[in-house]
Amino acid sequence: MHLGVFVLGTGNHIAGWRYPGAADSFQSLPVIQEIARTAERGKFDLLFLGDSLVAGVNDHPSFTVRFEPLTMLAALAATTTHVGLGATSSTTYGEPFLVARAFASLDHLSGGRAAWNAVTSSGAKAAANFGREHPRHDARYEVAEEFVDVVRGLWDCWDDGAILADRETGQYIDGSKVRSLDHEGRFFKVKGPLNIGRTPQGQPIILQAGSSDVGLALAARTADVVFSVVQDLEEAKLAYRALKDRLPGYGRKDSDIAVLPGVMPVIGATDAEAREKLNTLQSFVTGGNAHSMLANRLGIDVSGFPPDDLVPDLPLPDTSHGFARAMLAKAKRENMTWRDLLNLTGAARGHWVICGTPVAIADTLEEWFRAEAADGFNILPPYFPGGFDDFVDQVVPILQERGLFRRDYTGTTLREHLGLERPANRLFPPAASG
Amino acid sequence: MHLGVFVLGTGNHIAGWRYPGAADSFQSLPVIQEIARTAERGKFDLLFLGDSLVAGVNDHPSFTVRFEPLTMLAALAATTTHVGLGATSSTTYGEPFLVARAFASLDHLSGGRAAWNAVTSSGAKAAANFGREHPRHDARYEVAEEFVDVVRGLWDCWDDGAILADRETGQYIDGSKVRSLDHEGRFFKVKGPLNIGRTPQGQPIILQAGSSDVGLALAARTADVVFSVVQDLEEAKLAYRALKDRLPGYGRKDSDIAVLPGVMPVIGATDAEAREKLNTLQSFVTGGNAHSMLANRLGIDVSGFPPDDLVPDLPLPDTSHGFARAMLAKAKRENMTWRDLLNLTGAARGHWVICGTPVAIADTLEEWFRAEAADGFNILPPYFPGGFDDFVDQVVPILQERGLFRRDYTGTTLREHLGLERPANRLFPPAASG
């Protein structure tokens, strides 16, 4: 089983920062350093950051004022030793050369622990910060397909062993082990080579979270880890299988991708205590924030719907999040009112919430893992540090005892934690044996 | 007196990495961490990184494979406490929103030690990594003027105290202290606000190194620190005065900008030992690298010139570095041959080299400082760590003894080290007194 932690300084719950003792800033180095220490104490594979390119002043506090992900993870690279460091960076509002370079740099700084979550930036508002029109969903994915290829091509411009640094002869570089990319595609023209050598992992890990048809296609072709947003076991099994079944089409196999559903654990010594904790968190939610969050997720204004009305069938616009569908399906299935849906969104932005004792939570995670609904989980602590401490100190030991999760790291790179081989360099194929 | 250190992992001398005991990589975290520790031991104001967006395989080794500057400085932010952290980022191949955000993030991570060296990317080859044509010199500066204004505007979108994080009421943000920028200019259209709050320094420090007329105009209007490339005292005094005399035109005063000439100190117990050390370093230079470096600086192919011919008057193309002029002027003044000029370029890329005992070097720096040729210096150690240790352990104590340089930090932010006040927020002017 693989475990990631989704980091937001004020907690994943929209009002988590109001919980007694919780951190209340996503602009504080000590806050994120403590989270990283806890992740390594828990032997986590990965520490992960979402991102957006816009400040939604009424949105989740950590979506409004936050560290820039690459600089934040680079700071953590210097004070951690094992945990993978995954950041989101946009293929719609970025340049392949800069993205390839930044993640290569992070991979060197961290000794092989960098991961790039390639996203197409679903939020249309970001466009206004770049003087552009926001491209439509499928158009964004066409760009993303080429963008990811260019980035991976740039990562391969340097072969292993290209840097000789031979003091005797003065030769620094073996010119036969570096080449340009000379990419000329539909959207990008990038010469290369990159100005940083091949990285400890060969290539940084690629994360993906898209759930649309084109999102799944991109993930199946290029991703090493996929975050899924699912609300129940049957749905999760279908999503898991749907992705894995695409892999042979790209010459890949099941074990090449780890599928990690996002889950917010709310932990108590008893079921009642856990339920009470969730109720406390929900009581902290103020209307404006939850409305803003739900409107962003669905891509429609929701303020006009009476809170006690059942959620109806709704046509979703092109700008809705991929997992808006999952939330609406759950709302229909469980006969939710708008108030229920607002609560669900405020809690975990549409991610799955499990509430219970450490044993009950470990049971559920084991059930999902054994049912081939998940290769592990992306844990969304409702607040930090306490909500994450609870999981690491109370649930992880149970998973370890059951032989489901590592007791210690056996490697030092993220690729090793994930059990993935260092990839061959596509631009420097091994010479034919003679 | 203010001191910066220009960091290149393999040393500033093009062949510094071949010196016995020298570091030979600019992709190694321990190498840069040791440099940063030494900078803080020496009570330096600033640790500074140049940058380019292209790998010149025959260029300086640290120009070929190198860390991406923002990630590198973020890693150092976590393991240092006082030294300023300055990185170069391009106004020609960047987006104002991303640049503003990354430096704001670095300022938060470092507790107020971030500095942005705004450059227009003189190297035309970078264009090919972005599928673009390289704009001409003056056109690049027109963009830069607007780019810097947008970045500074984004930094001001949040006022101090905007983040309330009031647990009792649930109010996270004081909406009256955040506003959009709504910039619509000739080159950029950026709405804002930035998705990170006002930084510890109010605004990160702005560095500049341009020496052309438009470069000086941008510096005089916007910079806090200016790096100059000068080869002798009279030239340095003129350059210093030329910049400072522009300041009143922008409502600024002499003390608002610190001018730091770049200087490579080569230190020995005797003059002869220092000279011998420089000769050793020069003997490590291989022809290809120095030719490539000189060609890049001048913007012309130099391989056809006979090495023993005197350097003639040359028309410089638009793509030549600003300080190509200073190098050629020196070559003419001192009747240099092409070989001499290659040696000068190989040593310090056209920067000033001083060679001598610690006392002699301190004397020269003091002379320049008292003559109003410099407010301090950007030190370019020929190799790391030894070449920097020599300066910090042997020259800095003399400067301290003479009362020219601080014995300890008196503040924690770069702005405090530079003696600059935290700027008022231009978007939130103080209310008129009532």
Side-chain angles (χ1 to χ4, degrees), chain A residues 170-391:
Chain A
Q171 194 182 355
Y172 195 78
I173 284 163
D174 177 351
S176 73
K177 294 191 170 175
V178 51
R179 49 161 290 188
S180 56
L181 180 65
D182 300 317
H183 174 86
E184 295 196 22
R186 204 170 136 208
F187 305 105
F188 302 104
K189 200 174 149 190
V190 180
K191 186 166 172 51
L194 205 58
N195 52 354
I196 183 164
R198 194 156 198 254
T199 76
Q201 293 188 103
Q203 300 223 339
I205 291 294
I206 292 187
L207 316 173
Q208 291 265 286
S211 59
S212 65
D213 188 61
V214 287
L216 289 173
L218 178 61
R221 188 171 71 84
T222 67
D224 303 300
V225 174
V226 169
F227 299 130
S228 65
V229 180
V230 281
Q231 295 284 350
D232 75 20
L233 179 58
E234 291 312 312
E235 184 192 356
K237 282 161 68 174
L238 287 173
Y240 182 96
R241 208 59 259 161
L243 176 64
K244 300 264 177 169
D245 283 348
R246 287 174 186 248
L247 295 179
Y250 300 99
R252 307 181 72 198
K253 56 187 188 304
D254 269 22
S255 59
D256 288 345
I257 288 191
V259 175
L260 310 186
V263 56
M264 175 176 290
V266 180
I267 302 167
T270 62
D271 255 14
E273 189 183 304
R275 182 69 44 191
E276 176 60 29
K277 192 180 282 188
L278 180 57
N279 287 342
T280 302
L281 285 163
Q282 295 297 68
S283 76
F284 290 145
V285 178
T286 54
N289 284 13
H291 268 105
S292 170
M293 171 78 75
L294 183 58
N296 275 345
R297 295 284 139 162
L298 298 181
I300 54 175
D301 181 17
V302 297
S303 56
F305 294 104
D308 294 315
D309 276 17
L310 290 181
V311 176
D313 271 318
L314 280 173
L316 289 178
D318 184 70
T319 49
S320 65
H321 269 241
F323 55 85
R325 271 187 305 282
M327 287 165 60
L328 282 185
K330 182 186 172 80
K332 291 291 294 176
R333 199 168 53 232
E334 303 186 4
N335 287 318
M336 286 186 175
T337 63
W338 280 106
R339 192 190 310 280
D340 296 330
L341 187 55
L342 276 171
N343 276 337
L344 181 71
T345 314
R349 312 188 294 283
H351 287 275
W352 177 37
V353 179
I354 39 176
C355 194
T357 64
V359 169
I361 287 173
D363 287 347
T364 305
L365 299 185
E366 177 170 4
E367 181 188 9
W368 281 47
F369 179 70
R370 294 202 186 277
E372 297 202 340
D375 298 310
F377 301 92
N378 199 25
I379 304 298
L380 291 87
Y383 56 91
F384 292 98
F388 191 30
D389 286 338
D390 288 350
F391 186 86

Side-chain angles (χ1 to χ4, degrees), chain A residues 32-56:
Chain A
I32 57 166
Q33 284 180 317
E34 178 164 3
I35 294 170
R37 275 194 302 272
T38 305
E40 293 203 321
R41 188 172 85 237
K43 314 301 177 194
F44 269 52
D45 294 74
L46 180 67
L47 183 153
F48 171 69
L49 285 180
D51 195 38
S52 75
L53 296 166
V54 63

Side-chain angles (χ1 to χ4, degrees), chain A residues 22 27 51 101 129 167 192 197, chain B residues 22 27 51 101 129 167 192 197:
Chain A
Q27 300 182 151
D51 195 38
R101 188 186 183 204
N129 289 328
R167 276 196 169 77
Chain B
Q27 297 182 154
D51 195 38
R101 187 185 184 205
N129 290 327
R167 275 196 169 77

Side-chain angles (χ1 to χ4, degrees), chain A residues 9 15 19 28 105 142 169 236 276 343 398 415:
Chain A
Y19 200 82
S28 160
S105 189
E142 287 174 26
T169 64
E276 176 60 29
N343 276 337
I398 300 174
R415 205 169 272 285

